[in-house]
Amino acid sequence: MQLSPEASKPIINRLRRANGQLAGIIRMLEEGRDCEDIVMQMAAVSKALDRAGFGLVAGSLKECLASGKSEELDSGKLEKLFLSLA
């Protein structure tokens, strides 16, 4: 499964934001910031990564169905992909 550039753009944007958040967490640690603030930011990054992953799988599935190649879908493979994000 491969995403079109239009479908991958929001996922790429989400990952770029998560990358910026992660850099911010590193800075917070280096500056000795409060653990509670750091954990909150880590939770936000984790959620952003999860949403990007679900968006990737869902977008791929949608494009596969739209292209008429649904008979090529491997339900076991899709299940493993979804479960790997859980």
Side-chain angles (χ1 to χ4, degrees), residues 27-85:
R27 277 192 306 276
M28 291 171 78
L29 284 165
E30 290 171 343
E31 295 169 358
R33 298 271 303 270
D34 185 63
C35 289
E36 186 176 348
D37 294 337
I38 294 169
V39 169
M40 294 298 290
Q41 287 302 311
M42 290 177 80
V45 169
S46 179
K47 187 171 183 173
L49 291 175
D50 289 344
R51 296 185 116 213
F54 284 122
L56 178 63
V57 174
S60 295
L61 181 58
K62 181 180 175 182
E63 287 192 8
C64 187
L65 290 172
S67 71
K69 297 181 181 178
S70 60
E71 63 278 354
E72 297 176 16
L73 289 175
D74 179 346
S75 61
K77 185 176 180 181
L78 283 173
E79 183 178 352
K80 282 183 181 182
L81 286 172
F82 275 115
L83 290 175
S84 70
L85 296 169

Side-chain angles (χ1 to χ4, degrees), residues 4 13-14 25-26 48 58 63-64 76 85:
S4 68
N13 289 340
R14 186 178 300 276
I25 291 168
I26 292 169
E63 287 192 8
C64 187
L85 296 169

